[in-house]
Amino acid sequence: MSKAPRARSSLIATVAAAVCGVAISVAEAQQPDFTGIWESYRAAPQGQGRAPGAGAARVEPPLTEEGRRRVEEYRVLAGPTRLNGATFCADYGVPGMMGLPGGYPIEFIQKPDQLTLIYEVNNETRRIYIGDRQVPPEQRLPSRAGYSAGHWEGGALVVKTTDLLDGLDQGASAYSEQATIDERFSLEDVNGTKVLTYQATITDPVYYTAPIKFERRYQRYDGFIIPYGCQDELWYELLELRRAQHEAGEPVEARMSDVYKIREERE
Amino acid sequence: MPRNKKTFVAAAFASVLALCAAAAMAHHSAAQFDFAQRVTIEGVVKKFNVTNPHTWAVVEITDDKRGTREAEYEGHSASHFYRAGYTRDMLKPGDKIAILIAPRRDGEDGGFIQAFTANGKTIGFGGLSPETGRRTEGASE
């Protein structure tokens, strides 16, 4: 093939880019594809196999007086067994799920107008809407994942998460309904490993006198997501109780509270 | 030379615990178990329910002190069982099983499953605390 046609098409592309907006073309060219399954990043085995920062000294969050009161109150509510919503199949929420609690993988599915994140535990899902098509603010139902709007800044997806429910159980990242979370997703190459870096900055006047930061790194997971139906099991256990009543010729009247009672007796 | 059964079980557990990487979980409240202790129990499977968020096993055990009875054991999530190599046809009621447990603090029957051997196969979870997801103090390396 001669060089002339290629040079001509390149010239046409350049002219088209100039007409349609070069900035957009360049930005799109830089956008990474996060699609795939990720797990917590483990540093190369020269050290102790720990992720960077894992052994860093814990920084005390800049709590307000009210923040300190709420943190202390939650400690009392959780009790000595450190009661945990996940035991009752509640979602971890954001940023809790982003820490991959328990070491399960997370799946990212990227489309031009939406990044969908599915954590293996409870199939917990969050959607980040990218671009102009957004849910009007007054129609956003608060949730533990909040409402996330994203846009591209070079190779990074920059996200603002609002409309959150009370995050009193978010551990070191506890927050109120007034919190907003600024997030950033980017890809980099670390010694030949593709690393996805997630950064979160939580701003909450109720809990904190200054924003607090949270960072996680992920690496590709060469496996599959395993179905995780936490609440399904409760339903089966209820049906099992009712089947036992039916087979014994008793009134079929077991309730979900009976399932919980049996679970508590085991513990 | 015939292999000593208990030595075999202990060796199998040790190698699995050494090989296990980061199987972990963070959604259990497991204050009733002592993760610094390791006890091996042997018995017959009555029920082995590999589910989320907890696995539950009922095993018939026998000893001189308390005779024969059924004891319940808790374990990691179904996801962790399958990632550790468990397969759906691995166990059925009536199978003999040896389980390495973190025993209950109150000394009653029961415990948290750290590894088990049945039908010639050993599955282990690396001695990680179900509460923190981190390696527990005193856990086998």
Side-chain angles (χ1 to χ4, degrees), chain B residues 20-34:
Chain B
C20 267
M25 63 204 308
H27 51 227
H28 285 63
S29 176
Q32 70 268 43
F33 305 117
D34 183 354

Side-chain angles (χ1 to χ4, degrees), chain A residues 243-264:
Chain A
R243 182 178 290 114
Q245 289 175 328
H246 175 57
E247 286 173 358
E250 296 168 2
V252 179
E253 58 188 10
R255 307 171 73 146
M256 197 54 95
S257 55
D258 299 319
V259 173
Y260 274 116
K261 217 173 289 168
I262 291 168
R263 284 197 173 194
E264 278 163 14

Side-chain angles (χ1 to χ4, degrees), chain A residues 134-149:
Chain A
Q134 300 286 336
V135 176
E138 69 278 9
Q139 291 175 16
R140 296 174 187 172
L141 180 68
S143 68
R144 285 172 66 75
Y147 180 85
S148 298

Side-chain angles (χ1 to χ4, degrees), chain A residues 139-201:
Chain A
Q139 291 175 16
R140 296 174 187 172
L141 180 68
S143 68
R144 285 172 66 75
Y147 180 85
S148 298
H151 66 274
W152 293 99
E153 288 183 10
L157 181 66
V158 176
V159 178
K160 188 170 259 317
T161 295
T162 56
D163 304 277
L164 289 152
L165 286 175
D166 192 348
L168 76 170
D169 57 348
Q170 293 284 330
S173 311
Y175 55 76
S176 75
E177 297 95 330
Q178 290 185 37
T180 56
I181 308 178
D182 290 288
E183 301 168 279
R184 194 173 184 279
F185 297 82
S186 59
L187 278 186
E188 58 182 322
D189 195 271
V190 179
N191 300 324
T193 301
K194 194 74 95 179
V195 173
L196 199 167
T197 299
Y198 166 77
Q199 294 165 305
T201 301

Side-chain angles (χ1 to χ4, degrees), chain B residues 51-115:
Chain B
T51 55
N52 293 314
H54 304 215
T55 284
W56 283 96
V58 179
V59 179
E60 187 181 86
I61 54 174
T62 303
D63 58 32
D64 295 341
K65 212 172 169 185
R66 296 186 200 168
T68 299
R69 70 276 184 196
E70 289 186 356
E72 286 195 3
Y73 300 94
E74 189 180 340
H76 288 273
S77 68
S79 288
H80 284 322
F81 264 72
Y82 276 79
R83 289 214 169 83
Y86 176 81
T87 52
R88 57 195 291 184
D89 57 354
M90 186 180 165
L91 284 172
K92 59 182 185 310
D95 286 348
K96 286 185 178 173
I97 191 168
I99 312 180
L100 184 70
I101 57 165
R104 290 182 64 97
R105 290 184 193 279
D106 61 11
E108 294 295 315
D109 285 339
F112 197 90
I113 300 168
Q114 300 289 347

Side-chain angles (χ1 to χ4, degrees), chain A residues 42 80-82 84 86-87 89 92 101-105 120-121 221 224-230 233 240 263 266-267, chain B residues 22-32 47 49 51-54 56 72 74 77 79-80 82-83 104 131-132:
Chain A
R42 294 187 294 273
T81 60
R82 285 190 277 161
N84 184 328
T87 312
C89 307
Y92 283 110
Y104 298 84
E120 181 169 285
V121 177
Y221 175 65
F224 297 92
I225 292 285
I226 296 174
Y228 194 116
C230 186
E233 195 54 34
E240 203 176 311
R263 284 197 173 194
R266 282 173 181 162
E267 290 170 8
Chain B
M25 63 204 308
H27 51 227
H28 285 63
S29 176
Q32 70 268 43
K47 195 173 181 181
N49 210 8
T51 55
N52 293 314
H54 304 215
W56 283 96
E72 286 195 3
E74 189 180 340
S77 68
S79 288
H80 284 322
Y82 276 79
R83 289 214 169 83
R104 290 182 64 97
E131 197 171 55
T132 63

